[in-house]
């Protein structure tokens, strides 16, 4: 599955991500949280630690990793889709070899600039091809405040569905 979440606040992010990763760990999935503002790696660890029993043991065992976006998406400050896709495939192979049932990933796309959106959407299409053949669940986050109406549609298009909190309740768009 490959879906997206449009958010407004860090609370919106945590409301989705804490149960997302808790479920992944309960299902023996390798979990990877790629952080960017407004939630830092420290924030992510603290929120998970407060919710998931034995979180520190799971973190130390490598069941979940929390990385800054620059370690995953950028090389010398440049987004290279082929390098990122190769990295995902390598992580999938390692997760399967380690006995995980699958992989659960999250990435916040707030760092994405409008000028890079078209290239990134091509990357999202390539991710969809990988999702068809692999045991992977990918949740992409996009800040609503940073996107125009047409960009919201562009971003939602390559995902199976999108979720957002609207007037205090969760809404889904397929």
């Amino acid at each position: 599955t490959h879906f997206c979440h449009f958010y407004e606040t860090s609370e919106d992010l945590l409301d989705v991500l804490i149960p997302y990763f808790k479920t992944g760990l309960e299902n023996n999935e390798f979990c990877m949280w790629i952080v960017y503002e407004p939630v830092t790696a420290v924030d992510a660890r603290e929120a998970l630690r407060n919710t998931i029993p034995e979180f520190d043991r799971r973190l130390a065992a490598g069941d979940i990793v929390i990385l800054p976006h620059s370690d995953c998406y950028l090389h010398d400050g440049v987004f290279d889709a082929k390098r990122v896709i190769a990295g995902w495939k390598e992580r999938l192979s390692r997760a399967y070899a380690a006995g995980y049932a699958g992989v659960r990933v999250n990435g916040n796309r707030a760092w994405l600039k409008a000028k890079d959106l078209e290239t990134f959407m091509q990357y999202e299409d390539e991710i969809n091809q990988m999702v068809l053949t692999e045991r992977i669940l990918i949740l992409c986050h996009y800040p609503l405040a940073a996107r125009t109406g047409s960009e919201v549609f562009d971003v939602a298009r390559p995902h199976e569905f999108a979720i957002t909190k609207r007037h205090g309740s969760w809404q889904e768009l397929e």
Side-chain angles (χ1 to χ4, degrees):
T1 301
H2 181 209
F3 65 107
C4 68
H5 169 224
F6 293 103
Y7 70 92
E8 293 184 77
T9 67
S10 58
E11 290 78 22
D12 290 348
L13 287 170
L14 295 175
D15 285 351
V16 170
L17 289 170
I18 299 307
Y20 176 78
F21 285 119
K22 184 176 187 289
T23 301
L25 291 170
E26 289 169 350
N27 291 330
N28 189 40
E29 296 170 334
F30 171 73
C31 296
M32 191 160 87
W33 187 344
I34 303 161
V35 296
Y36 188 77
E37 299 167 3
V39 176
T40 66
V42 171
D43 297 333
R45 281 190 296 276
E46 187 63 26
L48 291 168
R49 189 174 286 121
N50 290 335
T51 306
I52 298 172
E54 299 186 26
F55 170 73
D56 288 320
R57 181 189 61 77
R58 304 295 299 265
L59 183 66
D63 297 338
I64 184 168
V65 295
I66 301 169
L67 302 170
H69 81 288
S70 56
D71 287 1
C72 182
Y73 293 116
L74 304 176
H75 182 70
D76 294 330
V78 176
F79 174 73
D80 178 352
K82 290 187 186 332
R83 185 187 64 79
V84 176
I85 295 281
W88 289 131
K89 290 180 179 179
E90 179 185 328
R91 286 188 184 275
L92 280 163
S93 294
R94 284 189 288 177
Y96 296 155
Y100 291 100
V103 175
R104 188 173 286 239
V105 178
N106 162 259
N108 187 336
R109 308 306 200 258
W111 57 270
L112 189 61
K113 306 291 185 232
K115 68 178 180 60
D116 300 320
L117 194 58
E118 184 176 334
T119 301
F120 197 82
M121 291 302 101
Q122 292 169 356
Y123 157 80
E124 292 277 29
D125 287 336
E126 290 181 48
I127 288 290
N128 283 335
Q129 295 307 307
M130 190 171 58
V131 167
L132 292 174
T133 60
E134 303 291 345
R135 295 182 313 260
I136 188 168
L137 182 63
I138 303 172
L139 170 55
C140 305
H141 288 285
Y142 294 90
L144 272 175
R147 300 285 163 235
T148 65
S150 64
E151 287 173 344
V152 167
F153 278 96
D154 290 342
V155 165
R157 184 194 51 76
H159 298 91
E160 292 177 48
F161 61 93
I163 59 172
T164 192
K165 192 179 275 189
R166 187 168 179 233
H167 305 297
S169 63
W170 289 103
Q171 303 281 314
E172 177 182 338
L173 174 65
E174 292 188 35

